[in-house]
Amino acid sequence: MTEPTVDPQPGVTVWEFAQDPNLGLRLQVLQAGEGMANWIRSPRIQKLGLALAGFTEYIHPHRVQILGGSEINYLQILKPAAKKAALDGLSGLGICCIVITRGLEPPEGLLKLSIPVLGTSFQSSVSIARITDYLEGRLAPRMTIHGVLLDVFGLGVLLLGPSGIGKSECALELVLKGHRLVSDDCVEIMRHGVDRLVGAGGPNLEHHMELRGLGIINIKELFGISATGRNKTLDFAVRLQRWEKDAEYDRLGLERSSIEFLGVSIPLIEMPVAPGRNVATLIEVAARIHLLGQQGHHPAKELLARLHPATGNN
Amino acid sequence: MIRQVIQVENRLGLHARAAAKLVRLACRFASSVHVSREGANQRIDAKSILGVLMLSAAQGTRLVLLIEGEDEAEAGQAIRRLFEERFGEEN
């Protein structure tokens, strides 16, 4: 599993940023200029205060710049020449865009700088929170893999394994047991922060599933809203594989494997599939074990400690 | 492992029936066959119809195929031929 490669540096264009209703700020374009194709490449914002005061070294061109009440009030106390100098100082820094908050009037001269200026009626604090949240989601490193993502007892369980091994059938059985399907077949994995993986369905796939013999079915239509989920933090992965006589499987539950996506590891259970092994039930039990483990219980270790008190876990 | 880039040439792109043909063909081989849009960070199993449909590859889309296994050479050739013959749907 060497490929796929990580995307080239992710980005959102100012145009997309201004149009996307998911941002929730109802942005208005006050000045478009030629900069609507500029790239926003960081979820962090900056406030323009220091730059207006003349200290422009720390301006990051690919961050959204916020112009709020304090900045605008500061500009108002400046003499006209100083104000013009402050604003002119902003051009040439490569700033991708400026967002004016609280529905404030853009200061005179700002719209002439050929930097895109957007306006929102929301306060700076709300705007900054929503912009950061939106951009963190949009700019998160992501990849699409072949697998099934389920919510089992509230845990995000990623089913892996070659096609035809029975991932979808297993997922269907888990849905029938009352668990939720997030995505069958294609899972888009995003890294939030440095240590959390979130999985969601591939675009347009929604909650469709293919079952050999039946073709494509829609889990949401067949089983309702409570049988499906939109996205889920990944807690552990289960890799289904054909039972091989000579292969060695974990008999104690002491070994822990893991699998890595986008630089984050999650626990991996290698699960042999054979007639008479109800994989859905096994996965349900695996989820229960994981929940116990989160509370510090470990059945195998506890049994061994009782059998061999002197040697502890060994 | 074989890596090959194939362009979708047929007018309708990888629509349902073409996708089904690709999946059926890929399933005939023991090798694993993965496909992705060129430049995209994805790994889609060519043996699964939903994944291939999700690619929604239109005419002109360039796809990267990664084939790995004992019969990878034959699989690579057969899949290339399927694309070149435009899934048998145009004269």
Side-chain angles (χ1 to χ4, degrees), chain A residues 113-132:
Chain A
L113 295 179
S114 81
I115 300 172
V117 181
L118 312 170
T120 174
S121 54
F122 289 87
Q123 289 181 327
S124 293
S125 55
V126 178
S127 305
I128 291 169
R130 292 196 183 167
I131 290 170
T132 311

Side-chain angles (χ1 to χ4, degrees), chain A residues 85-107:
Chain A
L87 287 171
D88 288 348
L90 297 180
S91 62
L93 298 175
I95 291 172
C96 61
C97 72
I98 295 173
V99 172
I100 300 183
T101 59
R102 257 175 54 194
L104 294 161
E105 279 293 312

